[in-house]
């Protein structure tokens, strides 16, 4: 099913951008796992809209209401279900889209697939709004992984062509990532914010790249072929709206390397086997090798822009200009950082359950 993910755990996400509520159901979680609700709310706030000048002006508290699965601060073995109520919608802003698809959106493809019955308000089920329930599930999985000594942290690598420093893939210093704006170099972060401001002033948008680092992983998680760790992570990361590219470790750079350059030599460090470099991104044959797991995700510019664009009328099959109304992020990359962390956490916790239960 397209809105369900997982092999041992099963995550289902439901709702639309302007439906009364959005939510998730997370099944297959063992009983007795602690839940830190304050930490979860802090994680969700990192993704929430309306918090700064480079975010959409739509303000939603994004405080989940748990309906089942958690009793007195611990999981109870029942499916964990939660909803977030949509309280600040303006569906009238999208009324013209019933007859006119937005460039860069799923509107036309959905029109064909669902024969005109899709929800267009705010993008419906295709909206980035659905990453809020993804972050509920991911925030919980992230807590449980942290209890095992596994840390997941993502950062902005670039926005609009402005690049930040990359962390060392062998020993990433996650503490160097900024809290308010997740970059390593504050000057690069300021230049990125300026790029977003300039794009917004032009009624345009910009995209960027988010990198993710996972430390403390043991070796042996994942399976060959279709159950490989890259496959597990890719499936859920590509479920994040606006993701158009994904690479692990050195990624596409390996195509220009020789075997002797790309191979990560094995060494002994502090009595343990590890590799001198980490071009593999911590995964070999689909299985973790105890090195930091690293991947980078490319996000396209927000397709909803205020400037006039070219489109067509479904009803008359004639061309027409389109000016999109509504409230949209001039750049989704800053808010996507915790979403990438959430996706990685869900994939990794599912793999842990597969290996240990």
């Amino acid at each position: 099913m397209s809105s369900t993910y997982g092999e041992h755990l099963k995550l289902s996400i439901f709702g639309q951008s302007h439906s009364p509520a959005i939510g998730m159901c997370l099944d297959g979680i063992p009983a007795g796992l602690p839940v830190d609700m304050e930490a979860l709310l802090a994680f969700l706030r990192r993704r929430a809209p309306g918090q700064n000048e480079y975010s959409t002006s739509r303000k939603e508290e994004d405080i989940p209401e748990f309906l089942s699965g958690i009793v007195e601060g611990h999981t109870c073995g029942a499916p964990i279900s939660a909803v977030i109520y949509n309280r600040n919608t303006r569906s009238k802003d999208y009324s013209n889209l019933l007859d006119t698809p937005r460039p860069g959106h799923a509107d036309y493809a959905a029109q064909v697939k669902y024969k005109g019955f899709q929800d267009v308000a705010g993008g419906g089920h295709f909206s980035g709004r659905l990453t809020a329930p993804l972050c509920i599930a991911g925030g919980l999985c992230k807590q449980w992984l942290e209890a095992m000594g596994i840390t997941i942290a993502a950062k902005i690598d670039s926005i609009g062509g402005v690049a930040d420093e990359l962390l060392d893939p062998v020993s990433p210093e996650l503490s160097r990532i900024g809290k308010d704006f997740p970059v390593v170099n504050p000057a690069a972060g300021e230049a990125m914010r300026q790029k977003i401001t300039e794009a917004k002033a032009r009624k345009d948008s910009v995209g960027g790249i988010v990198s993710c680092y996972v430390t403390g992983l043991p070796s042996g998680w994942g399976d060959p072929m279709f159950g490989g760790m890259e496959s597990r992570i890719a499936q859920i990361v590509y479920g994040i709206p606006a993701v158009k590219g994904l690479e692990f470790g050195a990624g596409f750079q390996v195509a220009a390397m020789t075997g002797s350059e790309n191979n990560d030599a094995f060494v002994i460090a502090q009595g343990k086997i590890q590799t001198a470099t980490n071009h593999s991104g911590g995964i070999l044959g689909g299985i973790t090798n105890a090195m930091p797991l690293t991947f980078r995700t490319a996000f396209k510019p927000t397709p909803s822009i205020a400037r006039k664009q070219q489109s067509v009328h479904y009803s008359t099959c004639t061309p027409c200009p389109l000016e999109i109304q509504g409230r949209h992020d001039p750049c989704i990359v800053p808010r996507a950082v915790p979403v990438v962390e959430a996706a990685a956490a869900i994939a990794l916790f599912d793999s842990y359950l597969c290996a240990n239960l």
Side-chain angles (χ1 to χ4, degrees), residues 44-91:
L44 295 176
R45 280 194 294 271
R46 292 172 56 198
R47 192 223 68 92
Q51 300 188 83
N52 46 56
E53 70 279 3
Y54 46 82
S55 168
T56 171
S57 59
R58 176 179 175 178
K59 293 184 181 296
E60 297 280 6
E61 290 185 341
D62 283 359
I63 297 176
E65 178 181 325
F66 283 87
L67 308 177
S68 64
I70 298 175
V71 176
E72 296 183 352
H74 289 78
T75 59
C76 66
I80 302 170
S81 60
V83 294
I84 292 175
Y85 293 100
N86 290 324
R87 305 187 187 280
N88 188 15
T89 59
R90 291 195 332 212
S91 298

mmCIF file of all heavy atoms in Angstrom, residues 44-91:
data_model
loop_
_atom_site.group_PDB
_atom_site.id
_atom_site.type_symbol
_atom_site.label_atom_id
_atom_site.label_comp_id
_atom_site.label_asym_id
_atom_site.label_seq_id
_atom_site.Cartn_x
_atom_site.Cartn_y
_atom_site.Cartn_z
ATOM 1 N N LEU A 44 9.149 17.751 17.005
ATOM 2 C CA LEU A 44 8.108 18.172 16.062
ATOM 3 C C LEU A 44 8.152 19.670 15.797
ATOM 4 O O LEU A 44 7.825 20.121 14.692
ATOM 5 C CB LEU A 44 6.730 17.769 16.590
ATOM 6 C CG LEU A 44 6.449 16.271 16.701
ATOM 7 C CD1 LEU A 44 5.082 16.035 17.325
ATOM 8 C CD2 LEU A 44 6.528 15.600 15.339
ATOM 9 N N ARG A 45 8.544 20.461 16.796
ATOM 10 C CA ARG A 45 8.623 21.911 16.599
ATOM 11 C C ARG A 45 9.675 22.276 15.547
ATOM 12 O O ARG A 45 9.558 23.322 14.894
ATOM 13 C CB ARG A 45 8.934 22.613 17.920
ATOM 14 C CG ARG A 45 7.730 22.782 18.823
ATOM 15 C CD ARG A 45 7.998 23.775 19.945
ATOM 16 N NE ARG A 45 9.007 23.303 20.876
ATOM 17 C CZ ARG A 45 8.745 22.565 21.951
ATOM 18 N NH1 ARG A 45 7.490 22.208 22.224
ATOM 19 N NH2 ARG A 45 9.722 22.197 22.760
ATOM 20 N N ARG A 46 10.690 21.463 15.391
ATOM 21 C CA ARG A 46 11.715 21.746 14.383
ATOM 22 C C ARG A 46 11.135 21.721 12.970
ATOM 23 O O ARG A 46 11.644 22.387 12.070
ATOM 24 C CB ARG A 46 12.853 20.727 14.485
ATOM 25 C CG ARG A 46 13.680 20.831 15.759
ATOM 26 C CD ARG A 46 14.657 19.680 15.874
ATOM 27 N NE ARG A 46 15.528 19.594 14.712
ATOM 28 C CZ ARG A 46 16.229 18.512 14.396
ATOM 29 N NH1 ARG A 46 16.140 17.417 15.144
ATOM 30 N NH2 ARG A 46 17.010 18.517 13.326
ATOM 31 N N ARG A 47 10.076 20.954 12.759
ATOM 32 C CA ARG A 47 9.448 20.849 11.442
ATOM 33 C C ARG A 47 8.241 21.772 11.273
ATOM 34 O O ARG A 47 7.834 22.087 10.149
ATOM 35 C CB ARG A 47 9.005 19.388 11.215
ATOM 36 C CG ARG A 47 8.585 19.052 9.775
ATOM 37 C CD ARG A 47 7.335 18.192 9.749
ATOM 38 N NE ARG A 47 6.176 18.941 10.207
ATOM 39 C CZ ARG A 47 5.355 19.609 9.393
ATOM 40 N NH1 ARG A 47 5.551 19.613 8.084
ATOM 41 N NH2 ARG A 47 4.331 20.273 9.889
ATOM 42 N N ALA A 48 7.662 22.221 12.361
ATOM 43 C CA ALA A 48 6.393 22.945 12.333
ATOM 44 C C ALA A 48 6.475 24.215 11.486
ATOM 45 O O ALA A 48 7.519 24.866 11.423
ATOM 46 C CB ALA A 48 5.954 23.296 13.755
ATOM 47 N N PRO A 49 5.369 24.593 10.817
ATOM 48 C CA PRO A 49 5.356 25.778 9.955
ATOM 49 C C PRO A 49 5.210 27.071 10.741
ATOM 50 O O PRO A 49 4.914 27.079 11.938
ATOM 51 C CB PRO A 49 4.125 25.534 9.080
ATOM 52 C CG PRO A 49 3.191 24.770 9.978
ATOM 53 C CD PRO A 49 4.090 23.870 10.800
ATOM 54 N N GLY A 50 5.445 28.170 10.031
ATOM 55 C CA GLY A 50 5.135 29.490 10.568
ATOM 56 C C GLY A 50 6.042 29.993 11.661
ATOM 57 O O GLY A 50 5.636 30.840 12.463
ATOM 58 N N GLN A 51 7.299 29.521 11.721
ATOM 59 C CA GLN A 51 8.176 29.907 12.821
ATOM 60 C C GLN A 51 9.204 30.978 12.466
ATOM 61 O O GLN A 51 9.845 31.531 13.357
ATOM 62 C CB GLN A 51 8.917 28.671 13.349
ATOM 63 C CG GLN A 51 8.005 27.584 13.875
ATOM 64 C CD GLN A 51 8.773 26.478 14.559
ATOM 65 O OE1 GLN A 51 9.131 26.583 15.724
ATOM 66 N NE2 GLN A 51 9.042 25.413 13.836
ATOM 67 N N ASN A 52 9.381 31.272 11.176
ATOM 68 C CA ASN A 52 10.387 32.255 10.778
ATOM 69 C C ASN A 52 10.054 32.802 9.395
ATOM 70 O O ASN A 52 9.071 32.391 8.759
ATOM 71 C CB ASN A 52 11.791 31.624 10.791
ATOM 72 C CG ASN A 52 11.802 30.262 10.116
ATOM 73 O OD1 ASN A 52 11.405 30.147 8.965
ATOM 74 N ND2 ASN A 52 12.241 29.234 10.826
ATOM 75 N N GLU A 53 10.903 33.717 8.913
ATOM 76 C CA GLU A 53 10.622 34.418 7.663
ATOM 77 C C GLU A 53 10.827 33.544 6.434
ATOM 78 O O GLU A 53 10.347 33.881 5.352
ATOM 79 C CB GLU A 53 11.515 35.665 7.556
ATOM 80 C CG GLU A 53 13.002 35.401 7.327
ATOM 81 C CD GLU A 53 13.750 35.054 8.589
ATOM 82 O OE1 GLU A 53 13.110 34.959 9.668
ATOM 83 O OE2 GLU A 53 14.969 34.867 8.518
ATOM 84 N N TYR A 54 11.549 32.431 6.564
ATOM 85 C CA TYR A 54 11.764 31.575 5.396
ATOM 86 C C TYR A 54 10.853 30.348 5.424
ATOM 87 O O TYR A 54 11.082 29.372 4.732
ATOM 88 C CB TYR A 54 13.238 31.151 5.280
ATOM 89 C CG TYR A 54 13.883 30.661 6.552
ATOM 90 C CD1 TYR A 54 13.710 29.357 6.971
ATOM 91 C CD2 TYR A 54 14.659 31.504 7.330
ATOM 92 C CE1 TYR A 54 14.296 28.900 8.137
ATOM 93 C CE2 TYR A 54 15.254 31.055 8.503
ATOM 94 C CZ TYR A 54 15.077 29.752 8.898
ATOM 95 O OH TYR A 54 15.660 29.304 10.050
ATOM 96 N N SER A 55 9.798 30.413 6.242
ATOM 97 C CA SER A 55 8.810 29.338 6.315
ATOM 98 C C SER A 55 7.461 29.871 5.876
ATOM 99 O O SER A 55 7.231 31.085 5.839
ATOM 100 C CB SER A 55 8.745 28.806 7.744
ATOM 101 O OG SER A 55 7.648 27.961 7.940
ATOM 102 N N THR A 56 6.537 28.963 5.544
ATOM 103 C CA THR A 56 5.180 29.370 5.226
ATOM 104 C C THR A 56 4.569 30.125 6.405
ATOM 105 O O THR A 56 4.903 29.864 7.564
ATOM 106 C CB THR A 56 4.297 28.145 4.907
ATOM 107 O OG1 THR A 56 2.929 28.559 4.795
ATOM 108 C CG2 THR A 56 4.382 27.099 5.999
ATOM 109 N N SER A 57 3.667 31.053 6.116
ATOM 110 C CA SER A 57 3.011 31.809 7.182
ATOM 111 C C SER A 57 1.845 31.041 7.810
ATOM 112 O O SER A 57 1.239 31.518 8.768
ATOM 113 C CB SER A 57 2.503 33.149 6.640
ATOM 114 O OG SER A 57 1.587 32.942 5.577
ATOM 115 N N ARG A 58 1.541 29.857 7.264
ATOM 116 C CA ARG A 58 0.501 29.029 7.877
ATOM 117 C C ARG A 58 1.002 28.565 9.239
ATOM 118 O O ARG A 58 2.051 27.926 9.351
ATOM 119 C CB ARG A 58 0.184 27.815 6.998
ATOM 120 C CG ARG A 58 -0.822 26.848 7.624
ATOM 121 C CD ARG A 58 -1.136 25.677 6.709
ATOM 122 N NE ARG A 58 -2.013 24.705 7.356
ATOM 123 C CZ ARG A 58 -2.475 23.600 6.771
ATOM 124 N NH1 ARG A 58 -2.126 23.323 5.515
ATOM 125 N NH2 ARG A 58 -3.263 22.763 7.420
ATOM 126 N N LYS A 59 0.262 28.879 10.289
ATOM 127 C CA LYS A 59 0.687 28.525 11.641
ATOM 128 C C LYS A 59 -0.150 27.358 12.162
ATOM 129 O O LYS A 59 -1.378 27.439 12.224
ATOM 130 C CB LYS A 59 0.556 29.735 12.577
ATOM 131 C CG LYS A 59 1.526 30.865 12.253
ATOM 132 C CD LYS A 59 1.401 31.980 13.270
ATOM 133 C CE LYS A 59 2.350 33.127 12.938
ATOM 134 N NZ LYS A 59 3.760 32.738 13.011
ATOM 135 N N GLU A 60 0.520 26.276 12.502
ATOM 136 C CA GLU A 60 -0.121 25.117 13.101
ATOM 137 C C GLU A 60 0.722 24.690 14.300
ATOM 138 O O GLU A 60 1.952 24.639 14.217
ATOM 139 C CB GLU A 60 -0.206 23.953 12.096
ATOM 140 C CG GLU A 60 -1.053 24.232 10.860
ATOM 141 C CD GLU A 60 -2.552 24.080 11.114
ATOM 142 O OE1 GLU A 60 -2.941 23.858 12.285
ATOM 143 O OE2 GLU A 60 -3.326 24.185 10.148
ATOM 144 N N GLU A 61 0.068 24.390 15.416
ATOM 145 C CA GLU A 61 0.811 23.983 16.605
ATOM 146 C C GLU A 61 1.451 22.612 16.431
ATOM 147 O O GLU A 61 2.499 22.319 16.997
ATOM 148 C CB GLU A 61 -0.118 23.969 17.826
ATOM 149 C CG GLU A 61 -0.553 25.353 18.270
ATOM 150 C CD GLU A 61 -1.356 25.289 19.552
ATOM 151 O OE1 GLU A 61 -1.878 24.204 19.892
ATOM 152 O OE2 GLU A 61 -1.468 26.334 20.221
ATOM 153 N N ASP A 62 0.812 21.747 15.662
ATOM 154 C CA ASP A 62 1.331 20.401 15.397
ATOM 155 C C ASP A 62 1.598 19.628 16.685
ATOM 156 O O ASP A 62 2.629 18.959 16.837
ATOM 157 C CB ASP A 62 2.590 20.460 14.532
ATOM 158 C CG ASP A 62 2.271 20.717 13.064
ATOM 159 O OD1 ASP A 62 1.076 20.818 12.746
ATOM 160 O OD2 ASP A 62 3.201 20.814 12.261
ATOM 161 N N ILE A 63 0.656 19.724 17.622
ATOM 162 C CA ILE A 63 0.746 18.937 18.856
ATOM 163 C C ILE A 63 -0.109 17.682 18.676
ATOM 164 O O ILE A 63 -1.315 17.777 18.492
ATOM 165 C CB ILE A 63 0.265 19.750 20.067
ATOM 166 C CG1 ILE A 63 1.162 20.969 20.272
ATOM 167 C CG2 ILE A 63 0.243 18.882 21.322
ATOM 168 C CD1 ILE A 63 0.719 21.881 21.386
ATOM 169 N N PRO A 64 0.511 16.508 18.714
ATOM 170 C CA PRO A 64 -0.259 15.282 18.448
ATOM 171 C C PRO A 64 -1.147 14.885 19.621
ATOM 172 O O PRO A 64 -0.807 15.118 20.786
ATOM 173 C CB PRO A 64 0.831 14.236 18.204
ATOM 174 C CG PRO A 64 2.000 14.722 18.999
ATOM 175 C CD PRO A 64 1.936 16.226 18.931
ATOM 176 N N GLU A 65 -2.261 14.282 19.292
ATOM 177 C CA GLU A 65 -3.128 13.665 20.296
ATOM 178 C C GLU A 65 -3.024 12.157 20.102
ATOM 179 O O GLU A 65 -3.399 11.631 19.052
ATOM 180 C CB GLU A 65 -4.570 14.121 20.120
ATOM 181 C CG GLU A 65 -5.543 13.480 21.095
ATOM 182 C CD GLU A 65 -6.976 13.931 20.899
ATOM 183 O OE1 GLU A 65 -7.178 15.110 20.539
ATOM 184 O OE2 GLU A 65 -7.879 13.094 21.090
ATOM 185 N N PHE A 66 -2.496 11.470 21.101
ATOM 186 C CA PHE A 66 -2.329 10.018 21.004
ATOM 187 C C PHE A 66 -3.630 9.334 21.401
ATOM 188 O O PHE A 66 -4.214 9.623 22.450
ATOM 189 C CB PHE A 66 -1.172 9.549 21.882
ATOM 190 C CG PHE A 66 0.170 9.834 21.280
ATOM 191 C CD1 PHE A 66 0.803 11.050 21.490
ATOM 192 C CD2 PHE A 66 0.788 8.902 20.458
ATOM 193 C CE1 PHE A 66 2.027 11.333 20.916
ATOM 194 C CE2 PHE A 66 2.016 9.166 19.876
ATOM 195 C CZ PHE A 66 2.644 10.380 20.100
ATOM 196 N N LEU A 67 -4.069 8.416 20.551
ATOM 197 C CA LEU A 67 -5.331 7.727 20.761
ATOM 198 C C LEU A 67 -5.135 6.327 21.319
ATOM 199 O O LEU A 67 -6.060 5.768 21.922
ATOM 200 C CB LEU A 67 -6.112 7.644 19.440
ATOM 201 C CG LEU A 67 -6.315 8.966 18.692
ATOM 202 C CD1 LEU A 67 -7.043 8.714 17.387
ATOM 203 C CD2 LEU A 67 -7.076 9.955 19.558
ATOM 204 N N SER A 68 -3.969 5.738 21.089
ATOM 205 C CA SER A 68 -3.733 4.376 21.558
ATOM 206 C C SER A 68 -2.243 4.086 21.543
ATOM 207 O O SER A 68 -1.450 4.827 20.953
ATOM 208 C CB SER A 68 -4.457 3.360 20.663
ATOM 209 O OG SER A 68 -3.921 3.403 19.341
ATOM 210 N N GLY A 69 -1.865 3.002 22.223
ATOM 211 C CA GLY A 69 -0.509 2.476 22.132
ATOM 212 C C GLY A 69 0.458 2.946 23.187
ATOM 213 O O GLY A 69 1.540 2.369 23.326
ATOM 214 N N ILE A 70 0.120 4.017 23.944
ATOM 215 C CA ILE A 70 1.010 4.532 24.982
ATOM 216 C C ILE A 70 0.219 4.652 26.284
ATOM 217 O O ILE A 70 -0.829 5.303 26.327
ATOM 218 C CB ILE A 70 1.609 5.902 24.593
ATOM 219 C CG1 ILE A 70 2.447 5.770 23.319
ATOM 220 C CG2 ILE A 70 2.457 6.457 25.729
ATOM 221 C CD1 ILE A 70 2.983 7.080 22.796
ATOM 222 N N VAL A 71 0.727 4.014 27.322
ATOM 223 C CA VAL A 71 0.068 4.034 28.631
ATOM 224 C C VAL A 71 1.110 4.382 29.691
ATOM 225 O O VAL A 71 2.143 3.713 29.796
ATOM 226 C CB VAL A 71 -0.583 2.673 28.955
ATOM 227 C CG1 VAL A 71 -1.185 2.691 30.359
ATOM 228 C CG2 VAL A 71 -1.644 2.325 27.932
ATOM 229 N N GLU A 72 0.847 5.438 30.419
ATOM 230 C CA GLU A 72 1.731 5.872 31.511
ATOM 231 C C GLU A 72 3.188 5.983 31.062
ATOM 232 O O GLU A 72 4.111 5.521 31.729
ATOM 233 C CB GLU A 72 1.603 4.918 32.703
ATOM 234 C CG GLU A 72 0.215 4.922 33.316
ATOM 235 C CD GLU A 72 0.087 4.027 34.537
ATOM 236 O OE1 GLU A 72 1.057 3.283 34.823
ATOM 237 O OE2 GLU A 72 -0.962 4.061 35.196
ATOM 238 N N GLY A 73 3.362 6.605 29.911
ATOM 239 C CA GLY A 73 4.704 6.915 29.440
ATOM 240 C C GLY A 73 5.461 5.781 28.798
ATOM 241 O O GLY A 73 6.666 5.910 28.545
ATOM 242 N N HIS A 74 4.785 4.659 28.499
ATOM 243 C CA HIS A 74 5.453 3.534 27.851
ATOM 244 C C HIS A 74 4.546 2.934 26.782
ATOM 245 O O HIS A 74 3.309 3.014 26.871
ATOM 246 C CB HIS A 74 5.806 2.440 28.870
ATOM 247 C CG HIS A 74 6.907 2.812 29.796
ATOM 248 N ND1 HIS A 74 6.707 3.646 30.884
ATOM 249 C CD2 HIS A 74 8.228 2.484 29.805
ATOM 250 C CE1 HIS A 74 7.851 3.809 31.524
ATOM 251 N NE2 HIS A 74 8.792 3.116 30.891
ATOM 252 N N THR A 75 5.169 2.320 25.780
ATOM 253 C CA THR A 75 4.381 1.588 24.801
ATOM 254 C C THR A 75 3.757 0.377 25.475
ATOM 255 O O THR A 75 4.327 -0.195 26.413
ATOM 256 C CB THR A 75 5.263 1.127 23.628
ATOM 257 O OG1 THR A 75 6.316 0.278 24.117
ATOM 258 C CG2 THR A 75 5.880 2.317 22.912
ATOM 259 N N CYS A 76 2.563 -0.004 24.990
ATOM 260 C CA CYS A 76 1.856 -1.117 25.619
ATOM 261 C C CYS A 76 1.677 -2.302 24.691
ATOM 262 O O CYS A 76 1.004 -3.271 25.041
ATOM 263 C CB CYS A 76 0.500 -0.655 26.149
ATOM 264 S SG CYS A 76 -0.662 -0.148 24.860
ATOM 265 N N GLY A 77 2.274 -2.229 23.491
ATOM 266 C CA GLY A 77 2.170 -3.327 22.542
ATOM 267 C C GLY A 77 1.054 -3.157 21.533
ATOM 268 O O GLY A 77 1.055 -3.809 20.483
ATOM 269 N N ALA A 78 0.079 -2.306 21.823
ATOM 270 C CA ALA A 78 -0.999 -2.028 20.876
ATOM 271 C C ALA A 78 -0.499 -1.047 19.815
ATOM 272 O O ALA A 78 0.493 -0.338 20.034
ATOM 273 C CB ALA A 78 -2.198 -1.431 21.609
ATOM 274 N N PRO A 79 -1.149 -0.985 18.657
ATOM 275 C CA PRO A 79 -0.752 0.002 17.653
ATOM 276 C C PRO A 79 -0.763 1.413 18.238
ATOM 277 O O PRO A 79 -1.688 1.777 18.966
ATOM 278 C CB PRO A 79 -1.815 -0.161 16.556
ATOM 279 C CG PRO A 79 -2.300 -1.563 16.709
ATOM 280 C CD PRO A 79 -2.258 -1.846 18.181
ATOM 281 N N ILE A 80 0.276 2.177 17.939
ATOM 282 C CA ILE A 80 0.371 3.564 18.406
ATOM 283 C C ILE A 80 -0.281 4.445 17.355
ATOM 284 O O ILE A 80 0.186 4.515 16.212
ATOM 285 C CB ILE A 80 1.832 3.973 18.615
ATOM 286 C CG1 ILE A 80 2.516 3.045 19.628
ATOM 287 C CG2 ILE A 80 1.929 5.427 19.093
ATOM 288 C CD1 ILE A 80 4.018 3.242 19.709
ATOM 289 N N SER A 81 -1.357 5.100 17.718
ATOM 290 C CA SER A 81 -2.039 5.986 16.771
ATOM 291 C C SER A 81 -2.080 7.395 17.326
ATOM 292 O O SER A 81 -2.231 7.599 18.535
ATOM 293 C CB SER A 81 -3.457 5.492 16.464
ATOM 294 O OG SER A 81 -4.231 5.451 17.634
ATOM 295 N N ALA A 82 -1.929 8.367 16.443
ATOM 296 C CA ALA A 82 -1.931 9.776 16.849
ATOM 297 C C ALA A 82 -2.486 10.625 15.729
ATOM 298 O O ALA A 82 -2.332 10.295 14.540
ATOM 299 C CB ALA A 82 -0.519 10.236 17.203
ATOM 300 N N VAL A 83 -3.126 11.723 16.102
ATOM 301 C CA VAL A 83 -3.656 12.669 15.116
ATOM 302 C C VAL A 83 -3.150 14.069 15.440
ATOM 303 O O VAL A 83 -2.839 14.389 16.588
ATOM 304 C CB VAL A 83 -5.200 12.678 15.086
ATOM 305 C CG1 VAL A 83 -5.740 11.344 14.598
ATOM 306 C CG2 VAL A 83 -5.781 13.030 16.446
ATOM 307 N N ILE A 84 -3.047 14.872 14.403
ATOM 308 C CA ILE A 84 -2.779 16.304 14.520
ATOM 309 C C ILE A 84 -3.918 17.014 13.802
ATOM 310 O O ILE A 84 -4.177 16.748 12.621
ATOM 311 C CB ILE A 84 -1.433 16.685 13.877
ATOM 312 C CG1 ILE A 84 -0.263 16.101 14.675
ATOM 313 C CG2 ILE A 84 -1.298 18.207 13.774
ATOM 314 C CD1 ILE A 84 1.091 16.337 14.025
ATOM 315 N N TYR A 85 -4.600 17.898 14.492
ATOM 316 C CA TYR A 85 -5.737 18.588 13.881
ATOM 317 C C TYR A 85 -5.257 19.781 13.059
ATOM 318 O O TYR A 85 -4.397 20.551 13.492
ATOM 319 C CB TYR A 85 -6.725 19.031 14.962
ATOM 320 C CG TYR A 85 -7.396 17.866 15.649
ATOM 321 C CD1 TYR A 85 -6.960 17.428 16.895
ATOM 322 C CD2 TYR A 85 -8.432 17.169 15.032
ATOM 323 C CE1 TYR A 85 -7.545 16.336 17.517
ATOM 324 C CE2 TYR A 85 -9.022 16.079 15.643
ATOM 325 C CZ TYR A 85 -8.578 15.662 16.884
ATOM 326 O OH TYR A 85 -9.159 14.572 17.487
ATOM 327 N N ASN A 86 -5.809 19.913 11.870
ATOM 328 C CA ASN A 86 -5.534 21.064 11.016
ATOM 329 C C ASN A 86 -6.471 22.199 11.427
ATOM 330 O O ASN A 86 -7.686 22.075 11.318
ATOM 331 C CB ASN A 86 -5.773 20.711 9.542
ATOM 332 C CG ASN A 86 -4.731 19.763 9.000
ATOM 333 O OD1 ASN A 86 -3.560 19.840 9.356
ATOM 334 N ND2 ASN A 86 -5.148 18.854 8.133
ATOM 335 N N ARG A 87 -5.910 23.298 11.877
ATOM 336 C CA ARG A 87 -6.731 24.383 12.424
ATOM 337 C C ARG A 87 -6.589 25.703 11.659
ATOM 338 O O ARG A 87 -7.326 26.642 11.923
ATOM 339 C CB ARG A 87 -6.374 24.608 13.897
ATOM 340 C CG ARG A 87 -6.494 23.354 14.758
ATOM 341 C CD ARG A 87 -6.294 23.660 16.221
ATOM 342 N NE ARG A 87 -6.230 22.467 17.052
ATOM 343 C CZ ARG A 87 -7.283 21.770 17.463
ATOM 344 N NH1 ARG A 87 -8.507 22.157 17.114
ATOM 345 N NH2 ARG A 87 -7.139 20.684 18.219
ATOM 346 N N ASN A 88 -5.655 25.774 10.716
ATOM 347 C CA ASN A 88 -5.400 27.048 10.042
ATOM 348 C C ASN A 88 -5.365 26.853 8.528
ATOM 349 O O ASN A 88 -4.373 27.121 7.873
ATOM 350 C CB ASN A 88 -4.082 27.653 10.540
ATOM 351 C CG ASN A 88 -3.862 29.067 10.034
ATOM 352 O OD1 ASN A 88 -4.785 29.718 9.537
ATOM 353 N ND2 ASN A 88 -2.644 29.553 10.148
ATOM 354 N N THR A 89 -6.463 26.346 8.001
ATOM 355 C CA THR A 89 -6.547 26.092 6.565
ATOM 356 C C THR A 89 -7.297 27.212 5.848
ATOM 357 O O THR A 89 -8.147 27.881 6.437
ATOM 358 C CB THR A 89 -7.278 24.763 6.291
ATOM 359 O OG1 THR A 89 -8.600 24.834 6.849
ATOM 360 C CG2 THR A 89 -6.537 23.599 6.919
ATOM 361 N N ARG A 90 -6.950 27.413 4.569
ATOM 362 C CA ARG A 90 -7.653 28.387 3.719
ATOM 363 C C ARG A 90 -7.877 27.731 2.357
ATOM 364 O O ARG A 90 -7.213 28.015 1.373
ATOM 365 C CB ARG A 90 -6.822 29.662 3.563
ATOM 366 C CG ARG A 90 -6.712 30.469 4.834
ATOM 367 C CD ARG A 90 -6.222 31.890 4.646
ATOM 368 N NE ARG A 90 -5.370 32.127 3.513
ATOM 369 C CZ ARG A 90 -4.399 33.039 3.484
ATOM 370 N NH1 ARG A 90 -4.155 33.773 4.564
ATOM 371 N NH2 ARG A 90 -3.674 33.228 2.403
ATOM 372 N N SER A 91 -8.838 26.822 2.322
ATOM 373 C CA SER A 91 -9.059 26.012 1.119
ATOM 374 C C SER A 91 -9.492 26.830 -0.081
ATOM 375 O O SER A 91 -9.277 26.432 -1.232
ATOM 376 C CB SER A 91 -10.095 24.920 1.416
ATOM 377 O OG SER A 91 -9.619 24.053 2.429
#
